[in-house]
Amino acid sequence: MASVAALGAAAGCAPVRSGQPQLLSVKGDLPKAWLQELPSPWQPRALESPEQLLSLVDRSALQEQPLAGAALLALGDGWAQQLDRARLQPLEAPALLEQLAPMAQAPSRLFAAEGAVPLAFPWAFGTWLLVLRSRPDLWRQRELGWSLLLDPSLRGKVVLPSSPRVVIELALRQLGLSSGDPKALSNPALPQQLSQLVGQALALDERDGLNLLLAGEADAAVVPSHRAIPLLKKDPRLSAFLPESGSPLWWQLLLRLPPQDTAGVDPPLPLEWVRDGLSLPLMDRLLAAGWVPPLPRQRLEPVLQRWPERLRPLLLPSEAVLQRCNNLPVFTPAERSRWQTLWDQALSR
């Protein structure tokens, strides 16, 4: 989840200098406008995939490729939960965390029990959206929610997420359930429901699979809202909605690694830079790229009033729909085994 790629001239960043504190991210997972404001001495460094970023962190822990200075990591919540918590340094940014909505508390603890020390700063969140290309007939049936993915005309025309966990969650929501329901796995209809959903798929790849949608090889795709919003603004063939039953939430987090050289200087966090992302005018540019800070609704809604009405509920769902959305904390080994068995069975049907 291993070669390293520099961020390069496209983002206007110089090569990383030895010993400088680094902000490690995955290409495309930090807004360019925000990244360009990163203050010195912090240096941005982007890798091709989350797997490469985690591999670099693991190799640094084994001293195979030490990170000379302190590091900030920008990762999605699913990937961040694979880090060794003992290696993370508390953020110690209570004033910034207090600005966030209450729902950001759990991801700030990496979903540890209440009272645990915050290890992450959740700077963006969102949902998964169902995106249609040139299918007004299906758009008129959007009240079917996630069950619309089972329409016979979409057989072999759907791009589903690469995450089995998210796909299983979509199948559960077609049954009026979620993974938070203790009886979800034992529901007798789930294996068949999941098999039917997977059987509709042209690809399981929300990152590169969007090209299939844009090229017309797929008619529908389920993608994170931050991938959909920029496309919806410029491509009139596309329409998107979040079903009333909600979806899993995704989170983007900042995490902190201490310097590996004990004699090294631990530089202060770029707190002003983080704060700028939570306020205008920079917040407008984050929203334009589909990144929504998890601020209280009363702070976000006035900003969103300047946006096209069709995009507002995709950026910030209504409170009722948001209440039906859920986080996806890491599985225990026993849970992972049970859900993996369910997934393997769906693929083999």
Side-chain angles (χ1 to χ4, degrees), residues 135-150:
R135 290 299 303 265
D137 57 324
L138 294 180
W139 174 254
R140 289 191 291 270
Q141 300 178 65
R142 60 190 181 278
E143 72 279 354
L144 295 176
W146 294 114
S147 294
L148 190 65
L149 292 168
L150 300 179

Side-chain angles (χ1 to χ4, degrees), residues 176-189:
L177 301 168
S178 78
S179 57
D181 187 327
K183 297 182 179 179
L185 187 61
S186 60
N187 187 290

